[in-house]
Amino acid sequence: MKLNILILADPFGKPSYAPRLRYLCNYLTRRGHRIEVYTEEFQQFNFPHDYPIIEKPLSHHNTWQWAWQSLWSLLTDWRNRQFSRWVSEQVTGKSFDLVYCTTFSTFPLRAAHEIAQKLQLPLCVDIRDLDEQIPGAQYQSHRQWWARPFSRWYQQVNIRRRNRVLRVANSISTISPWHVDFIRRFNPNVHLIYNGYDPSQFYAKNIATDKFLITYIGRLYAFQSLQLIEQALAELQLPEVELNLHTMDNRPIAIHEVGDELRRSSIAIVLTTPKAKGMMTTKFYEAFGCEKPILCTPTDNGILASTIRQTNAGLASSDIEEIKGFILEKYHEWLQNGYTRQAVINKEQFSREKQAEQFEELFIETLKH
């Protein structure tokens, strides 16, 4: 059964450019399905793709125009309504079997719902994050500087808009058991599809290095901290050890370089917080695919820590002595071999290939109903 799928997505952003969506699109295209992706223009991207990505041009040309439009969107949902009208114009005369919408938070859920209603198609929604998984509206406040004085209101407006669409979606997918349980209160037809690693990019290979690299790659949120790792290194005082940071503000690297950088590393850092709920960050899966020892700190005391333990992927801890012991153990392995390699288990369950197969099955099942 070959499908024609209309995909609406939030913009592709650095540093990873929506890996969950990108791999799904690659897989669906290889399987012979026809897809079209509609999103907003945001940051220039250069990843290869054999499917059309159509970007709505920016409607603001400076920071103040952007701030005003953002405020107006908060009051009237202008952004979603404009995007809905634009997509409707773009798809006039085209035929699709279903609408699939993937989102970090709220946009473009309303637009996807309106398009699905207009075309009389089922709507499949993928929720990658929930505002409620981190206390204090931290996901939104770091992105919208003008909204910080009233971030709680901003968060609640977006939550209400999100929930209205979740209640009427034909099917919903999300990333962790916690997210499934949370969303089920709005819609019982919710399915767990984990994030994962692309096996063509994140694979194991032993690479000897002259430094013991403890690597973090990705965005640093306000609720994340390197404090325990920095303290452990200061107390250990090991020679030839380097804290190797690649963030948005500090030595960012291209997405095609991430796998090689992890394979050169001796420990991969995953940052979370005990206050987080159900956060299964892509950083975990990428290091897991490369079979690199993972140091997750502070521990979330939840699904991420449990998964690290069950897959023998490394250590999730908030205890400084445990962290020092883990670093020292991997350091001695590096001294002996010139590299480290983690003996992970059940690796196949988190492959993006398996994830994409689950999405394909969900789309077909949704169409049957």
Side-chain angles (χ1 to χ4, degrees), residues 353-367:
E353 188 84 11
K354 179 177 178 61
Q355 175 198 91
E357 290 173 1
Q358 291 176 294
F359 272 115
E360 185 181 33
E361 293 169 2
L362 178 59
F363 295 158
I364 293 172
E365 189 66 26
T366 300
L367 281 172

PDB file of all heavy atoms in Angstrom, residues 353-367:
ATOM      1  N   GLU A 353      15.314   2.827  11.857  1.00  0.00           N
ATOM      2  CA  GLU A 353      14.651   1.933  10.910  1.00  0.00           C
ATOM      3  C   GLU A 353      13.406   1.312  11.555  1.00  0.00           C
ATOM      4  O   GLU A 353      12.333   1.285  10.957  1.00  0.00           O
ATOM      5  CB  GLU A 353      15.618   0.837  10.470  1.00  0.00           C
ATOM      6  CG  GLU A 353      15.125  -0.039   9.342  1.00  0.00           C
ATOM      7  CD  GLU A 353      15.368   0.569   7.973  1.00  0.00           C
ATOM      8  OE1 GLU A 353      16.106   1.570   7.877  1.00  0.00           O
ATOM      9  OE2 GLU A 353      14.807   0.027   7.007  1.00  0.00           O
ATOM     10  N   LYS A 354      13.559   0.831  12.779  1.00  0.00           N
ATOM     11  CA  LYS A 354      12.419   0.252  13.490  1.00  0.00           C
ATOM     12  C   LYS A 354      11.364   1.317  13.769  1.00  0.00           C
ATOM     13  O   LYS A 354      10.157   1.072  13.631  1.00  0.00           O
ATOM     14  CB  LYS A 354      12.879  -0.388  14.806  1.00  0.00           C
ATOM     15  CG  LYS A 354      11.748  -1.000  15.618  1.00  0.00           C
ATOM     16  CD  LYS A 354      12.271  -1.682  16.864  1.00  0.00           C
ATOM     17  CE  LYS A 354      11.133  -2.252  17.707  1.00  0.00           C
ATOM     18  NZ  LYS A 354      10.352  -3.261  16.979  1.00  0.00           N
ATOM     19  N   GLN A 355      11.821   2.490  14.162  1.00  0.00           N
ATOM     20  CA  GLN A 355      10.902   3.600  14.425  1.00  0.00           C
ATOM     21  C   GLN A 355      10.077   3.936  13.184  1.00  0.00           C
ATOM     22  O   GLN A 355       8.853   4.107  13.257  1.00  0.00           O
ATOM     23  CB  GLN A 355      11.720   4.822  14.858  1.00  0.00           C
ATOM     24  CG  GLN A 355      10.940   6.095  15.055  1.00  0.00           C
ATOM     25  CD  GLN A 355      11.868   7.284  15.034  1.00  0.00           C
ATOM     26  OE1 GLN A 355      12.113   7.878  13.990  1.00  0.00           O
ATOM     27  NE2 GLN A 355      12.416   7.643  16.187  1.00  0.00           N
ATOM     28  N   ALA A 356      10.734   4.027  12.038  1.00  0.00           N
ATOM     29  CA  ALA A 356      10.041   4.356  10.799  1.00  0.00           C
ATOM     30  C   ALA A 356       9.038   3.273  10.418  1.00  0.00           C
ATOM     31  O   ALA A 356       7.945   3.568   9.917  1.00  0.00           O
ATOM     32  CB  ALA A 356      11.048   4.569   9.677  1.00  0.00           C
ATOM     33  N   GLU A 357       9.385   2.016  10.641  1.00  0.00           N
ATOM     34  CA  GLU A 357       8.449   0.923  10.382  1.00  0.00           C
ATOM     35  C   GLU A 357       7.193   1.081  11.240  1.00  0.00           C
ATOM     36  O   GLU A 357       6.069   0.840  10.775  1.00  0.00           O
ATOM     37  CB  GLU A 357       9.117  -0.412  10.679  1.00  0.00           C
ATOM     38  CG  GLU A 357      10.205  -0.807   9.700  1.00  0.00           C
ATOM     39  CD  GLU A 357      10.933  -2.056  10.142  1.00  0.00           C
ATOM     40  OE1 GLU A 357      10.575  -2.614  11.202  1.00  0.00           O
ATOM     41  OE2 GLU A 357      11.876  -2.472   9.435  1.00  0.00           O
ATOM     42  N   GLN A 358       7.372   1.498  12.488  1.00  0.00           N
ATOM     43  CA  GLN A 358       6.223   1.701  13.375  1.00  0.00           C
ATOM     44  C   GLN A 358       5.329   2.825  12.866  1.00  0.00           C
ATOM     45  O   GLN A 358       4.100   2.724  12.925  1.00  0.00           O
ATOM     46  CB  GLN A 358       6.713   1.995  14.792  1.00  0.00           C
ATOM     47  CG  GLN A 358       7.366   0.825  15.483  1.00  0.00           C
ATOM     48  CD  GLN A 358       7.915   1.220  16.843  1.00  0.00           C
ATOM     49  OE1 GLN A 358       8.855   2.011  16.972  1.00  0.00           O
ATOM     50  NE2 GLN A 358       7.316   0.680  17.881  1.00  0.00           N
ATOM     51  N   PHE A 359       5.937   3.922  12.390  1.00  0.00           N
ATOM     52  CA  PHE A 359       5.145   5.012  11.830  1.00  0.00           C
ATOM     53  C   PHE A 359       4.356   4.537  10.605  1.00  0.00           C
ATOM     54  O   PHE A 359       3.174   4.850  10.455  1.00  0.00           O
ATOM     55  CB  PHE A 359       6.052   6.184  11.428  1.00  0.00           C
ATOM     56  CG  PHE A 359       6.317   7.158  12.529  1.00  0.00           C
ATOM     57  CD1 PHE A 359       7.590   7.325  13.041  1.00  0.00           C
ATOM     58  CD2 PHE A 359       5.283   7.931  13.059  1.00  0.00           C
ATOM     59  CE1 PHE A 359       7.842   8.229  14.061  1.00  0.00           C
ATOM     60  CE2 PHE A 359       5.524   8.841  14.072  1.00  0.00           C
ATOM     61  CZ  PHE A 359       6.809   8.988  14.576  1.00  0.00           C
ATOM     62  N   GLU A 360       5.021   3.803   9.727  1.00  0.00           N
ATOM     63  CA  GLU A 360       4.351   3.308   8.529  1.00  0.00           C
ATOM     64  C   GLU A 360       3.143   2.447   8.900  1.00  0.00           C
ATOM     65  O   GLU A 360       2.054   2.589   8.331  1.00  0.00           O
ATOM     66  CB  GLU A 360       5.336   2.512   7.680  1.00  0.00           C
ATOM     67  CG  GLU A 360       4.775   2.045   6.347  1.00  0.00           C
ATOM     68  CD  GLU A 360       5.793   1.240   5.572  1.00  0.00           C
ATOM     69  OE1 GLU A 360       6.614   0.526   6.207  1.00  0.00           O
ATOM     70  OE2 GLU A 360       5.779   1.312   4.328  1.00  0.00           O
ATOM     71  N   GLU A 361       3.325   1.557   9.871  1.00  0.00           N
ATOM     72  CA  GLU A 361       2.217   0.710  10.328  1.00  0.00           C
ATOM     73  C   GLU A 361       1.098   1.548  10.929  1.00  0.00           C
ATOM     74  O   GLU A 361      -0.091   1.259  10.715  1.00  0.00           O
ATOM     75  CB  GLU A 361       2.734  -0.304  11.350  1.00  0.00           C
ATOM     76  CG  GLU A 361       3.681  -1.347  10.762  1.00  0.00           C
ATOM     77  CD  GLU A 361       4.389  -2.161  11.835  1.00  0.00           C
ATOM     78  OE1 GLU A 361       4.105  -1.926  13.048  1.00  0.00           O
ATOM     79  OE2 GLU A 361       5.211  -3.011  11.480  1.00  0.00           O
ATOM     80  N   LEU A 362       1.449   2.583  11.665  1.00  0.00           N
ATOM     81  CA  LEU A 362       0.443   3.445  12.285  1.00  0.00           C
ATOM     82  C   LEU A 362      -0.356   4.191  11.225  1.00  0.00           C
ATOM     83  O   LEU A 362      -1.589   4.313  11.335  1.00  0.00           O
ATOM     84  CB  LEU A 362       1.108   4.431  13.244  1.00  0.00           C
ATOM     85  CG  LEU A 362       0.192   5.444  13.937  1.00  0.00           C
ATOM     86  CD1 LEU A 362      -0.888   4.733  14.759  1.00  0.00           C
ATOM     87  CD2 LEU A 362       1.008   6.375  14.841  1.00  0.00           C
ATOM     88  N   PHE A 363       0.307   4.718  10.208  1.00  0.00           N
ATOM     89  CA  PHE A 363      -0.394   5.419   9.133  1.00  0.00           C
ATOM     90  C   PHE A 363      -1.392   4.495   8.441  1.00  0.00           C
ATOM     91  O   PHE A 363      -2.545   4.882   8.189  1.00  0.00           O
ATOM     92  CB  PHE A 363       0.610   5.957   8.110  1.00  0.00           C
ATOM     93  CG  PHE A 363       1.526   7.016   8.628  1.00  0.00           C
ATOM     94  CD1 PHE A 363       2.741   7.274   8.005  1.00  0.00           C
ATOM     95  CD2 PHE A 363       1.197   7.787   9.743  1.00  0.00           C
ATOM     96  CE1 PHE A 363       3.597   8.252   8.463  1.00  0.00           C
ATOM     97  CE2 PHE A 363       2.041   8.769  10.219  1.00  0.00           C
ATOM     98  CZ  PHE A 363       3.254   8.995   9.582  1.00  0.00           C
ATOM     99  N   ILE A 364      -0.955   3.288   8.127  1.00  0.00           N
ATOM    100  CA  ILE A 364      -1.840   2.344   7.430  1.00  0.00           C
ATOM    101  C   ILE A 364      -3.019   1.962   8.317  1.00  0.00           C
ATOM    102  O   ILE A 364      -4.169   1.893   7.866  1.00  0.00           O
ATOM    103  CB  ILE A 364      -1.035   1.106   6.992  1.00  0.00           C
ATOM    104  CG1 ILE A 364      -0.014   1.509   5.911  1.00  0.00           C
ATOM    105  CG2 ILE A 364      -1.964   0.006   6.477  1.00  0.00           C
ATOM    106  CD1 ILE A 364       0.971   0.418   5.546  1.00  0.00           C
ATOM    107  N   GLU A 365      -2.735   1.727   9.604  1.00  0.00           N
ATOM    108  CA  GLU A 365      -3.811   1.361  10.541  1.00  0.00           C
ATOM    109  C   GLU A 365      -4.799   2.515  10.701  1.00  0.00           C
ATOM    110  O   GLU A 365      -6.024   2.299  10.788  1.00  0.00           O
ATOM    111  CB  GLU A 365      -3.199   0.986  11.888  1.00  0.00           C
ATOM    112  CG  GLU A 365      -4.180   0.393  12.874  1.00  0.00           C
ATOM    113  CD  GLU A 365      -4.729  -0.951  12.425  1.00  0.00           C
ATOM    114  OE1 GLU A 365      -4.054  -1.656  11.655  1.00  0.00           O
ATOM    115  OE2 GLU A 365      -5.835  -1.300  12.887  1.00  0.00           O
ATOM    116  N   THR A 366      -4.308   3.750  10.734  1.00  0.00           N
ATOM    117  CA  THR A 366      -5.181   4.914  10.864  1.00  0.00           C
ATOM    118  C   THR A 366      -6.113   5.016   9.658  1.00  0.00           C
ATOM    119  O   THR A 366      -7.303   5.328   9.803  1.00  0.00           O
ATOM    120  CB  THR A 366      -4.344   6.203  10.994  1.00  0.00           C
ATOM    121  OG1 THR A 366      -3.505   6.115  12.149  1.00  0.00           O
ATOM    122  CG2 THR A 366      -5.246   7.427  11.140  1.00  0.00           C
ATOM    123  N   LEU A 367      -5.590   4.752   8.466  1.00  0.00           N
ATOM    124  CA  LEU A 367      -6.416   4.820   7.270  1.00  0.00           C
ATOM    125  C   LEU A 367      -7.513   3.764   7.264  1.00  0.00           C
ATOM    126  O   LEU A 367      -8.606   3.975   6.731  1.00  0.00           O
ATOM    127  CB  LEU A 367      -5.542   4.666   6.020  1.00  0.00           C
ATOM    128  CG  LEU A 367      -4.768   5.916   5.589  1.00  0.00           C
ATOM    129  CD1 LEU A 367      -3.800   5.566   4.473  1.00  0.00           C
ATOM    130  CD2 LEU A 367      -5.719   7.002   5.146  1.00  0.00           C
TER     131      LEU A 367
END
